[in-house]
């Protein structure tokens, strides 16, 4: 085992395109390319048929029911129980793995419980970020999956310091990567225009947000910033601006926040501050469609109030889309203001609006952000991340 292939089980909570799920898929594929034997495990709701994009890595899917209006605390407990029940059967039917690596709190808690029962020898957990949840069960799920695993990984130095300070956990940093084979720039201006036409946005100035409508993504403040930026973008470009909000699949219930967003959107349209077609919400999108949105966009708006690393930023940079991102410690680990991104305080819609206008209307600045952003993306590949994971796995097993 010291030098040979490892048997690695990677666990995630969903099959939909969320940051942690993308991380799990990309890491699994990069580990497999290094010659290791990898298997994916994920919760799957009715009507799904595997991950949001194809993968050659073998996978096991744990079926879970949809239950309308189920309290979040009950849902989390049920998901953990489903994971435990399934793995007790699955692990007894298969050869043991060398590495059991959870990418979320649900699978992390399931593995911690199985570890306590002597069914798995250890638990590795990647903590992407730490949230504040209204659900006590979610808070406990998050805490237990941080303090009980044998090896804890984080994706940034910022979160390494936070876990040491808040939980007394000594985590190791393994940065995220970006799939540079998939997220590639358009071959020409004509190809980019073809993407815009196919998406029905050929005569629009596109402000893209990826991740859906939720508090951590700061969508309400982004909407306010877009309203303020819209007339200046129209004046500078002669195009009708549109805010495209792509994605949105999540385990968590952000209904109240989404309802508040809907009410504000209706108010803005009714008062004439927005046109009805100025905001487009796509819902979850397939990987190829997401690539088309990145290529079509004039700017990526990423004013999150909390992030683990920011996979979306690297994906946008890889295709050559200028980025406006929150001025957070995590983002400053790889972003430099006015070099490869524009960094803004996430609580200030005026400054966000100004940055969006600059990124769209200033061609010299946009060219700088594109060029340096693409170079930044090239420095963050999944292959080097996988090599670092293997080093940590081997140290743990030794």
């Amino acid at each position: 085992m010291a030098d040979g292939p490892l048997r690695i089980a990677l666990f995630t909570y969903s099959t939909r395109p969320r940051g942690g799920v993308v991380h799990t898929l990309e890491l699994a594929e990069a580990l497999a390319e290094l010659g290791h034997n990898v298997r994916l495990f994920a919760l799957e709701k009715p009507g799904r048929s595997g991950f949001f994009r194809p993968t050659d890595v073998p996978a096991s899917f744990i079926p879970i029911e949809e239950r309308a209006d189920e309290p979040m605390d009950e849902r989390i407990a049920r998901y953990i129980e489903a994971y435990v029940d399934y793995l007790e059967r699955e692990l007894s039917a298969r050869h043991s793995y060398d590495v059991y690596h959870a990418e979320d709190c649900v699978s992390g808690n399931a593995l911690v419980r199985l570890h306590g029962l002597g069914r798995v020898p250890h638990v590795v957990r990647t903590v992407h970020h730490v949230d504040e949840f209204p659900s006590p069960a979610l808070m406990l799920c998050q805490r237990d999956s941080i303090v009980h695993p044998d090896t804890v990984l984080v994706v940034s130095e910022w979160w390494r310091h936070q876990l040491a300070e808040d939980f007394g956990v000594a985590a190791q940093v393994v940065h995220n990567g970006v799939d540079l084979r998939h997220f590639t720039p358009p071959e020409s201006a004509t190809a980019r225009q073809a993407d815009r036409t196919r998406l029905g946005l050929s005569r629009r100035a596109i402000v893209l947000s990826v991740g859906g409508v939720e508090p951590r993504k700061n969508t309400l403040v982004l909407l306010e910033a877009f309203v303020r930026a819209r007339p200046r973008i129209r004046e500078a470009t002669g195009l009708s601006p549109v805010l495209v909000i792509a994605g949105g699949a999540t385990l968590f219930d952000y209904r109240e926040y989404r309802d508040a967003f809907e009410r504000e959107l209706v108010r803005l349209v009714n008062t004439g501050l927005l046109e009805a077609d100025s905001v487009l919400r796509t819902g979850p999108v397939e990987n190829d469609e997401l690539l088309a949105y990145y290529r079509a966009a004039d700017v990526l708006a990423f004013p999150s109030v909390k992030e683990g690393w920011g996979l979306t930023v690297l994906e946008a940079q890889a295709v050559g889309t200028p980025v406006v991102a929150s001025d957070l410690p995590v983002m400053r680990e790889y972003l430099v203001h006015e070099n490869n991104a524009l960094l803004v305080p996430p609580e200030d819609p005026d400054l966000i609006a100004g940055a969006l206008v600059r990124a769209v209307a200033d061609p010299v600045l946009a060219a700088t952000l594109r060029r340096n952003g693409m170079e930044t993306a090239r420095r963050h590949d999944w292959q080097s991340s996988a090599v670092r994971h293997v080093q940590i796995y081997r140290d743990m097993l030794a």
Side-chain angles (χ1 to χ4, degrees), residues 298 320 322 358-360 362-371:
D298 295 281
R358 291 183 66 201
V360 174
D362 184 337
V364 174
L365 174 62
T368 298
L369 298 180
R370 287 192 188 95
R371 181 179 64 254

Side-chain angles (χ1 to χ4, degrees), residues 96-235:
S96 298
Y97 297 94
D98 300 313
V99 176
Y100 298 80
H101 186 167
E103 296 280 352
D104 66 285
C105 84
V106 172
S107 64
N109 274 265
L111 290 179
V112 164
R113 191 188 304 181
L114 291 169
H115 176 55
L117 296 172
R119 300 300 302 276
V120 301
H122 54 256
V123 180
V124 182
R125 162 82 157 104
T126 294
V127 179
H128 297 271
H129 59 268
V130 179
D131 270 318
E132 291 293 329
F133 298 112
S135 160
L138 257 180
M139 290 299 292
L140 184 62
C141 176
Q142 177 174 254
R143 179 192 175 280
D144 285 351
S145 71
I146 292 172
V147 301
H148 292 309
D150 305 276
T151 299
V152 177
L153 311 180
V154 289
V155 294
S156 67
E157 284 292 336
W158 166 256
W159 284 110
R160 183 177 71 83
H161 289 298
Q162 290 303 112
L163 261 59
E165 185 174 309
D166 297 342
F167 298 94
V169 169
Q172 301 180 68
V173 178
V174 188
H175 290 146
N176 274 327
V178 61
D179 184 353
L180 296 172
R181 289 171 291 193
H182 179 73
F183 292 104
T184 58
E187 296 177 356
S188 64
T190 301
R192 178 173 183 262
Q193 187 58 39
D195 280 325
R196 293 166 66 88
T197 300
R198 180 165 64 84
L199 295 170
L201 301 169
S202 59
R203 295 294 301 165
R204 309 298 294 269
I206 303 169
V207 177
L208 175 65
S209 170
V210 176
V213 176
E214 60 180 73
R216 186 168 63 86
K217 298 301 181 183
N218 207 22
T219 323
L220 273 167
V221 172
L222 174 58
L223 178 62
E224 185 177 352
F226 174 71
V227 171
R228 300 181 188 193
R230 189 166 164 269
R232 287 182 281 167
I233 292 175
R234 184 195 293 272
E235 180 181 0

Side-chain angles (χ1 to χ4, degrees), residues 1-6 36 389-398:
M1 189 193 302
D3 298 312
L6 295 172
H36 301 284
H389 276 87
V390 172
Q391 291 172 342
I392 292 172
Y393 295 156
R394 293 197 190 282
D395 288 345
M396 176 191 70
L397 294 172

Side-chain angles (χ1 to χ4, degrees), residues 243-273:
L243 173 61
V244 177
I245 303 173
T250 178
L251 168 67
F252 311 120
D253 185 1
Y254 296 124
R255 193 175 324 170
E256 290 185 8
Y257 191 85
R258 290 196 299 269
D259 288 347
F261 182 89
E262 293 291 343
R263 289 193 298 271
E264 179 62 9
L265 192 56
V266 169
R267 185 191 71 81
L268 291 168
V269 171
N270 288 342
T271 55
L273 294 173

